[in-house]
Amino acid sequence: MSSTILVTAETDSARSRRWGLCVFFVALLPALIILWATPWFVTQDGPAHLYNAQIISRSFEPHSRFREVYHVRWEPLPNWVGHLSLATLLQVIPAREADRVMTTLTLVGFAASIVWLRWRVVGWRGMPMAALLAVLLSLNLPWLLGFTSFMLGACLFPITLGIWWHGREQLWPRRVAVLWALMVLGYFSHLVSLGLTVVGLVVLALFAPGERRFARAGWTALGLLPLVPLGWIYIGLTRKGGPMVPFWKQLTDPLSLHSWHAQLSWADPISLASRFILPFYEKGYYGFALLAPVVALAIALILEAVTMVRGRSTSSAVSTWPDRRGWGILAAILILGGAAGPDTLGESHGNYLPQRVLLLGLVALVPLLDLEAKTWTGRAAALALVWAVAIQSGFLWEYAATSNRSVNALLQARNAIGSNQKVATLLMGIPSRFRSNSILHADNLLGVDTGNIIWNNYETRHYYFPVQFHLEVDRPNPETLELLSIRDDPDEGGHNALLWRHVLESHHQSIDAILTWGKNAELDRISDLWFKPVYENGNVRVLRHR
């Protein structure tokens, strides 16, 4: 009888492995086709990362035009992994392909790391549903926003926790050395993903099953030692961004249901667009929220919770929860922390904090859940995940079509701008159905392979990015130029006009060409004081000095 049970278990494991891998590749395939079949699919921040990676790769050239305006801070900064990876790709493949490869790596790598964590903790059991969940989590908002370094660091979150979990009772010097390497790599990827990884290690060290808990905690603490000097270095770097002060933009009144609704809607890391619309359907209805991917995910998680509670009567389920309660505690800490946490620790220290924390909290659920379609609740959860991935892929398809139209229209002005020019961009009226705006930083592509200096280079505003403007360079402020783009100011006599006049009065001599998107009578009159149009095609115009 025991041999029959063993053979049956091995057969089930092989079947789950086979179907799990099949589901993983099939679920990812639409996103990969969309990404590679769309000529100008770009994430929001991807063009800026690509441009700055090229600046880094050409910083060693003695006659590089970039050296006159930019300098590279060769300091132990976070975000180096993303930039150096892109700079390395630029040495072997064209810039456009390098951007697509990086976007693909952060998508597939994150999904694969989640699947690997599930396998490392649970084995192949429930892998088909785990693969669906991993793909849905990989098609997330931070990825579409182009947070490359964070996504690379997010890949290290499940990898680090999985390695620790597998060897938690034998954390000898060799495994500690591996933790050291992962901590250093995590630091140079992104501070948020590193911090959440440390939280995960601490929680699991305290609550994972085992008899040698004190020894395990001690070895784990030893594995975190590299963070002491790196943390001291980072504290010094943060002084350039001012003090860290938590700030809630949405949760203005903790006692207000309206504020909590705004907070939870904002913190959602899954929705790529409004929850009240459907892909390729212009009109929005409140009823569409029931079909949104994040709602389908919530339904699937609730059904999985019901499955686990109903299964507590079996001996296998009773023994499963104590073994994996650390993952439940970690997921609860991160999900609650993301849902109620601040939007930022200060504008100069970065934004989109809740989405990052919540995303990795959802990852921590993957080793905990049953994820087997053997009961009606399990099968219903699987159907909900299939629907969520399908609709999410539809939104990605629409985003790709929008990105292709907008970016292609903008880049048709490249010949009118030329090369080795100093360019400022004025984007007027760039609303989007999506939470990520493909046109916002696409102007940085005008500097790729052209030697153009793009004054809108937003990365130069932040101390945690390596490329900065020389202080003595006369230039418009990238923060002001971005503010003109993202602030909706229909009043022609409003603040945007004052800002744009100030920019041109102070810095028009340092601008060779202006690219404008959209039209605003008041802003156009201000531009005409110093510049004249030399190119116009739909929404796009190029202006040069009179």
Side-chain angles (χ1 to χ4, degrees):
M1 178 66 72
S2 60
S3 61
T4 303
I5 294 174
L6 181 60
V7 170
T8 303
E10 290 177 351
T11 303
D12 289 343
S13 176
R15 185 184 299 112
S16 184
R17 178 178 70 249
R18 183 171 61 252
W19 279 105
L21 294 176
C22 180
V23 168
F24 179 78
F25 289 113
V26 170
L28 264 180
L29 187 60
L32 295 176
I33 292 174
I34 291 167
L35 201 161
W36 284 91
T38 307
W40 289 109
F41 178 101
V42 298
T43 60
Q44 179 172 293
D45 291 357
H49 297 329
L50 182 66
Y51 178 49
N52 285 286
Q54 188 165 89
I55 293 171
I56 293 170
S57 67
R58 294 187 176 180
S59 64
F60 300 102
E61 299 175 5
H63 302 295
S64 171
R65 178 170 171 78
F66 292 138
R67 297 182 66 175
E68 302 173 7
V69 178
Y70 295 108
H71 70 97
V72 180
R73 297 171 57 206
W74 297 103
E75 302 176 45
L77 302 169
N79 292 290
W80 264 121
V81 169
H83 284 74
L84 288 182
S85 298
L86 259 177
T88 302
L89 286 172
L90 287 171
Q91 303 302 312
V92 293
I93 56 178
R96 180 72 194 105
E97 305 312 314
D99 179 54
R100 279 203 263 208
V101 167
M102 185 57 67
T103 305
T104 303
L105 285 176
T106 50
L107 172 67
V108 178
F110 189 53
S113 68
I114 298 172
V115 168
W116 181 87
L117 176 65
R118 171 75 184 189
W119 169 76
R120 179 57 82 182
V121 176
V122 182
W124 291 107
R125 185 171 65 84
M127 189 55 73
M129 280 183 65
L132 269 178
L133 181 54
V135 170
L136 178 61
L137 294 180
S138 69
L139 295 169
N140 58 69
L141 177 64
W143 171 73
L144 197 60
L145 286 169
F147 295 167
T148 302
S149 288
F150 168 75
M151 289 306 302
L152 291 172
C155 293
L156 291 175
F157 176 82
I159 290 173
T160 304
L161 298 187
I163 289 174
W164 181 93
W165 180 268
H166 182 67
R168 62 189 182 278
E169 300 303 329
Q170 295 178 331
L171 292 174
W172 311 133
R174 186 175 66 178
R175 292 189 184 274
V176 169
V178 172
L179 281 180
W180 285 4
L182 289 169
M183 291 299 103
V184 173
L185 187 60
Y187 171 86
F188 286 106
S189 295
H190 201 276
L191 259 295
V192 173
S193 54
L194 173 64
L196 299 180
T197 301
V198 172
V199 171
L201 289 173
V202 171
V203 170
L204 293 178
L206 293 175
F207 295 101
E211 298 179 356
R212 303 174 58 254
R213 295 192 180 187
F214 288 108
R216 183 175 66 199
W219 283 105
T220 303
L222 189 61
L224 302 179
L225 273 182
L227 299 183
V228 175
L230 290 173
W232 180 78
I233 291 171
Y234 184 70
I235 289 173
L237 294 172
T238 60
R239 296 192 183 101
K240 298 179 180 179
M244 289 190 176
V245 180
F247 182 69
W248 284 261
K249 299 178 183 177
Q250 311 298 326
L251 191 59
T252 54
D253 181 5
L255 300 180
S256 166
L257 291 177
H258 178 75
S259 289
W260 275 106
H261 177 265
Q263 171 75 1
L264 294 177
S265 299
W266 166 248
D268 170 14
I270 301 300
S271 298
L272 305 182
S274 167
R275 289 180 298 281
F276 306 118
I277 63 172
L278 290 178
F280 297 102
Y281 191 77
E282 293 184 3
K283 295 182 179 180
Y285 297 101
Y286 287 111
F288 286 163
L290 299 175
L291 306 176
V294 68
V295 174
L297 172 61
I299 292 171
L301 295 179
I302 292 171
L303 290 170
E304 278 296 309
V306 171
T307 301
M308 293 182 67
V309 170
R310 292 179 63 189
R312 290 294 293 272
S313 59
T314 65
S315 59
S316 61
V318 170
S319 62
T320 295
W321 168 250
D323 288 345
R324 287 184 274 163
R325 67 170 177 262
W327 294 101
I329 295 171
L330 174 60
I333 290 173
L334 297 185
I335 290 174
L336 292 175
D343 298 334
T344 177
L345 297 177
E347 290 289 345
S348 59
H349 298 292
N351 287 283
Y352 292 96
L353 184 58
Q355 293 85 350
R356 306 178 205 241
V357 178
L358 258 173
L359 178 64
L360 297 191
L362 293 172
V363 171
L365 282 176
V366 177
L368 173 70
L369 300 175
D370 183 69
L371 297 179
E372 289 194 284
K374 293 183 177 180
T375 63
W376 75 266
T377 52
R379 289 189 287 272
L383 288 175
L385 288 176
V386 169
W387 172 262
V389 172
I391 293 297
Q392 195 79 329
S393 299
F395 276 121
L396 189 66
W397 185 7
E398 184 187 351
Y399 174 89
T402 303
S403 171
N404 192 55
R405 288 193 302 269
S406 301
V407 177
N408 183 53
L410 185 146
L411 293 181
Q412 286 182 8
R414 281 181 294 189
N415 290 336
I417 291 174
S419 59
N420 298 318
Q421 302 293 296
K422 296 177 180 178
V423 183
T425 303
L426 176 63
L427 305 177
M428 298 173 286
I430 55 168
S432 173
R433 279 163 52 92
F434 299 91
R435 298 170 75 189
S436 171
N437 197 324
S438 60
I439 201 69
L440 182 60
H441 299 306
D443 49 7
N444 285 266
L445 294 173
L446 298 169
V448 175
D449 295 331
T450 62
N452 288 335
I453 306 300
I454 308 299
W455 294 129
N456 299 60
N457 187 351
Y458 89 95
E459 287 192 15
T460 59
R461 296 165 40 200
H462 301 291
Y463 66 88
Y464 45 80
F465 286 126
V467 175
Q468 304 287 321
F469 285 120
H470 289 302
L471 294 178
E472 66 275 10
V473 171
D474 175 38
R475 57 178 175 81
N477 188 339
E479 183 174 11
T480 302
L481 295 175
E482 182 169 333
L483 187 62
L484 285 164
S485 300
I486 63 178
R487 187 166 64 186
D488 185 17
D489 184 14
D491 180 8
E492 293 186 353
H495 294 293
N496 279 6
L498 295 175
L499 281 177
W500 186 233
R501 177 179 287 275
H502 174 71
V503 167
L504 295 187
E505 283 180 344
S506 303
H507 305 290
H508 69 91
Q509 293 289 356
S510 64
I511 300 172
D512 297 322
I514 295 175
L515 181 139
T516 67
W517 176 284
K519 294 182 179 179
N520 178 293
E522 182 64 22
L523 299 184
D524 289 342
R525 280 195 292 269
I526 295 171
S527 301
D528 289 342
L529 296 175
W530 293 276
F531 295 84
K532 62 180 180 181
V534 296
Y535 169 90
E536 184 168 0
N537 183 15
N539 283 327
V540 181
R541 291 194 307 161
V542 175
L543 296 83
R544 289 191 175 276
H545 270 287
R546 289 191 172 278

